[in-house]
């Protein structure tokens, strides 16, 4: 204790106090390190950014590794912002450090030094260790200034840093991972990222039989965000295999406004600003390019959404075929959340015969579960996901790619390229897009054929405002309500009234609301069930404001 206290003295307490005052916390403001970091209106975040700079230094010292800090609020409105820390292997911050982050962000000015000391003691941080932090940011107008505040926090604690400036969230994860594996995984530069992904993509698709234009062109809605800048930079690396046409590239519209993956998925309609002809393959990224959904208009002008569930299905069936070809019985597991469409789960289990698991919402939960398999495919319905290969599976595949012959060898090489394409960390819209495009080209599948794998059950998502959303607690991967009493029984009774129906509710981890999900045999029934469940939430969980109305 004394020793740590002494170390802190070495750290120039006056400078910390002085800098902190320049990034003063509005007193009384309380924020949580939520599902994906801190997220709120940008004007409330200056002190949080400074303090996350401080925390990143402590985490870096503790792990003796480079730590990442990403300034973004993903699919939230342009006025919001947020910050999250990236752990040494490109993973989400460890849960115990999420708690430290919350404590540090909420400490009042006069408690800050004490809090830094507490964290250092609790986490056994060696304050004499060097620290290195890498920083990235999205295109929000507030991001540049906020990332400067992160840098202030890093430097005042004596940490060194590299500011990558504009990056997608997955690109920052990539940089962190590269730096902590001494470049073995790839070069920790933006060119390194493009080279690694495009090389794997070009190799994967070079055998493709189908090379017609319809297979090689794709329309991309970039949500007016960072994805547009980065895809434009990457375009020429992949142009021989795929031509991308960018929409909502940020030159006119507002970030995430009426566009982007979250808008398309939750409204189940095309983004504004995109010219769609029937049967053309289109996709949308979210504001920091870690989510992707596909869609198209059929000849009657009907909109068809191809969400994360169908992406997981396409990818896992491709991987299964390749494993069959090389004759290796590596186990594949598919991880979903309660939002996965019932049809997708049935198709994966009954037709494809793969094991499916359900976890709580939030990439870290899916990621954790996916690590249990040789090959863990995980996607949230909202389009956030990736494939994880265990180290053993990766080694095995790389060895087979050398040893096997003919077709088997080709299959093993393809798997090797898939490994190289998927980012090691949480999902990456660019990597996912390249894998999906490669599979469609290789299998000669049109977007309609992909869509026809199974038919989604009609579904509806609604939000309900309540006084305190924490009164709702859940179990069974959020599929059952525990409190308030009576709510689960009410949901059960409502679900019984419809065919092929299912419904659940959970407090949002990113907004001050309760989310309601319902699916049933028709859109009308899904809507009606969702509305009835919203009313039950409103009545039993302390609804505020207007009673939920039917109709959308
Ligand atoms: C965050 C999560 C996403 C999750 C969403 C749920 C990460 C990187 N992102 O965006 O995975 O689907 O939150 O939001 O974990 P909700 O709790 O408001 O429904
Ligand atoms: Mg995102």
């Amino acid at each position: 204790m004394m020793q740590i206290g002494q170390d802190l003295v070495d750290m120039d307490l006056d400078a910390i106090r002085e800098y902190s005052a320049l990034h003063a916390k509005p007193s009384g403001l309380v924020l949580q390190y939520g599902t994906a970091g801190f997220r709120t209106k940008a004007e409330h975040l200056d002190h949080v950014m400074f303090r996350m700079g401080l925390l990143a230094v402590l985490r870096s010292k503790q792990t003796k590794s480079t730590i990442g800090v990403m300034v973004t609020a993903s699919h939230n409105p342009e006025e919001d912002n947020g910050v999250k820390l990236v752990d040494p292997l490109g993973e989400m911050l460890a849960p115990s450090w999420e708690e430290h982050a919350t404590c540090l962000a909420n400490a009042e000015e006069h408690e800050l030094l004490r809090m830094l000391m507490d964290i250092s003691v609790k986490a056994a941080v060696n304050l004499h260790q060097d620290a290195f932090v890498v920083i990235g940011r999205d295109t929000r107008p507030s991001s540049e200034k906020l990332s400067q505040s992160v840098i202030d926090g890093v430097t005042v604690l004596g940490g060194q840093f590299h500011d990558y400036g504009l990056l997608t969230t997955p690109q920052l994860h990539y940089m962190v991972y590269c730096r902590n594996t001494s470049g073995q995984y790839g070069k920790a530069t933006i060119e390194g990222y493009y080279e690694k992904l495009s090389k794997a993509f070009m190799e994967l698709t070079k055998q493709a039989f189908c090379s017609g234009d319809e297979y090689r062109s794709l329309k991309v809605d970039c949500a007016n965000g960072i994805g547009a800048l980065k895809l434009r930079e990457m375009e020429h690396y992949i142009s021989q295999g795929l031509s991308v046409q960018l929409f909502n590239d940020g030159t006119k519209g507002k970030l995430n406004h009426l566009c982007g993956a979250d808008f398309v998925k939750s409204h189940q309609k095309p983004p504004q600003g995109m010219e769609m002809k029937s049967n053309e393959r289109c996709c949308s990224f979210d504001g920091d390019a870690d989510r992707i959904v596909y869609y198209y208009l059929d000849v009657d002008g009907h909109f068809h959404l191809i969400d994360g569930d169908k992406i997981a299905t396409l990818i896992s069936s491709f991987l299964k075929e390749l494993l069959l070809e090389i004759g290796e019985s590596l186990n594949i597991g598919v991880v979903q959340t309660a939002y996965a469409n019932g049809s997708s789960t049935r198709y994966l289990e009954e037709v494809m015969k793969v094991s499916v698991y359900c976890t709580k919402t939030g990439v870290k939960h899916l990621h954790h579960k996916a690590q249990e398999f040789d090959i863990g495919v995980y996607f949230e319905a909202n389009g956030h996901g990736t494939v994880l290969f265990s180290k053993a599976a990766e080694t095995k595949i790389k060895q087979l790619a050398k040893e096997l012959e003919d077709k088997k060898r080709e299959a093993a090489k393809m798997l090797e390229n898939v490994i190289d394409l998927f980012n090691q960390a949480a999902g990456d819209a660019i990597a996912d897009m390249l894998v999906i495009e490669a599979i469609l080209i290789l299998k000669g599948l049109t977007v309609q054929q992909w869509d026809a794998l199974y038919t989604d059950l009609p579904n509806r998502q609604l939000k309900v405002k309540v006084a305190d959303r924490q009164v709702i607690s859940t179990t069974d991967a959020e599929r059952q309500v525990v409190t308030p009493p009576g709510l689960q029984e009410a949901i059960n009774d409502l679900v019984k009234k419809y065919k092929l129906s299912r419904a659940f509710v959970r407090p949002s981890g990113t907004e001050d609301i309760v989310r309601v999900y319902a699916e049933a045999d028709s859109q009308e029934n899904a809507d009606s069930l969702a509305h009835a469940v919203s009313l039950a939430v409103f009545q039993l969980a302390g609804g505020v404001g207007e009673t939920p109305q039917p109709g959308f």
Side-chain angles (χ1 to χ4, degrees), residues 232-498:
R232 191 141 280 155
E233 283 174 10
M234 190 178 196
E235 239 178 319
H236 75 271
Y237 288 86
I238 52 167
S239 58
Q240 290 195 335
L242 177 69
S243 111
V244 287
Q245 205 181 337
L246 309 190
F247 295 85
N248 299 320
D249 64 355
T251 47
K252 295 190 293 279
K254 226 177 155 184
L255 179 68
N256 296 326
H257 182 60
L258 305 176
C259 61
D262 195 60
F263 172 85
V264 172
K265 168 72 183 161
S266 47
H267 293 83
Q268 306 190 19
K269 63 180 184 196
Q272 268 190 11
M274 185 130 168
E275 298 146 26
M276 289 173 70
K277 296 200 201 92
S278 64
N279 292 338
E280 270 178 352
R281 201 166 66 254
C282 305
C283 68
S284 285
F285 290 3
D286 74 338
D288 62 340
D290 59 5
R291 290 190 195 178
I292 184 169
V293 294
Y294 273 72
Y295 43 89
Y296 68 98
L297 293 177
D298 64 22
V299 282
D300 300 320
H302 290 135
F303 176 75
H304 293 250
L305 176 70
I306 302 181
D307 64 5
D309 303 336
K310 233 167 225 171
I311 294 174
T313 308
L314 179 79
I315 294 174
S316 30
S317 81
F318 179 68
L319 294 175
K320 241 193 121 175
E321 279 171 28
L322 292 180
L323 288 180
L324 208 66
E325 182 73 50
I326 61 172
E328 267 310 303
S329 59
L330 298 171
N331 73 347
I332 301 188
V334 177
V335 187
Q336 305 185 315
T337 71
Y339 289 106
N341 196 278
S343 296
S344 75
T345 315
R346 201 166 313 121
Y347 183 86
L348 284 160
E349 284 177 335
E350 291 171 16
V351 182
M352 283 185 48
K353 310 260 183 255
V354 294
S355 312
V356 183
Y357 302 83
C358 185
T359 69
K360 290 203 275 187
T361 301
V363 168
K364 62 185 171 203
H365 301 295
L366 290 103
H367 190 91
H368 189 71
K369 185 73 197 173
Q371 285 174 324
E372 290 176 16
F373 310 96
D374 295 326
I375 303 179
V377 180
Y378 74 81
F379 269 89
E380 291 189 298
N382 62 27
H384 200 160
T386 190
V387 180
L388 295 181
F389 290 81
S390 71
K391 267 281 157 265
E394 183 177 338
T395 312
K396 179 95 212 167
I397 288 165
K398 292 200 163 154
Q399 187 191 336
L400 291 173
K402 289 198 198 100
E403 284 172 4
L404 293 174
E405 281 170 17
D406 306 329
K407 278 187 80 181
K408 287 185 173 205
R409 182 191 184 123
E410 280 312 314
K413 280 187 157 176
M414 281 190 192
L415 277 169
E416 207 179 350
N417 288 320
V418 173
I419 293 174
D420 280 346
L421 267 165
F422 277 117
N423 215 334
Q424 74 302 322
D428 179 343
I430 295 180
D432 294 345
M433 177 189 86
L434 293 175
V435 172
I436 292 165
E437 290 300 309
I439 297 175
L440 295 178
I441 294 168
L442 284 163
K443 296 176 71 105
L445 277 178
T446 64
V447 70
Q448 299 83 342
Q449 286 167 326
W450 173 21
D451 185 36
L453 286 178
Y454 60 82
T455 308
D456 276 322
L457 282 170
N459 57 87
R460 178 65 64 190
Q461 279 196 55
L462 295 174
K463 303 177 185 184
V464 183
K465 284 207 167 68
V466 296
D468 174 13
R469 69 191 198 278
Q470 302 309 338
V471 300
I472 297 190
S473 61
T474 63
T475 182
D476 188 24
E478 306 177 321
R479 290 174 289 192
Q480 297 279 325
V481 167
V482 179
T483 59
L487 182 53
Q488 187 57 49
E489 289 74 12
I491 295 173
N492 293 345
D493 289 344
L494 292 167
V495 166
K496 274 189 214 136
K497 294 184 184 166
Y498 301 90

Side-chain angles (χ1 to χ4, degrees), residues 36 39 72-76 84 169-170 285-291 384:
R39 233 179 250 189
T72 180
S74 184
H75 55 280
N76 283 39
K84 56 184 165 190
T169 297
F285 290 3
D286 74 338
D288 62 340
D290 59 5
R291 290 190 195 178
H384 200 160

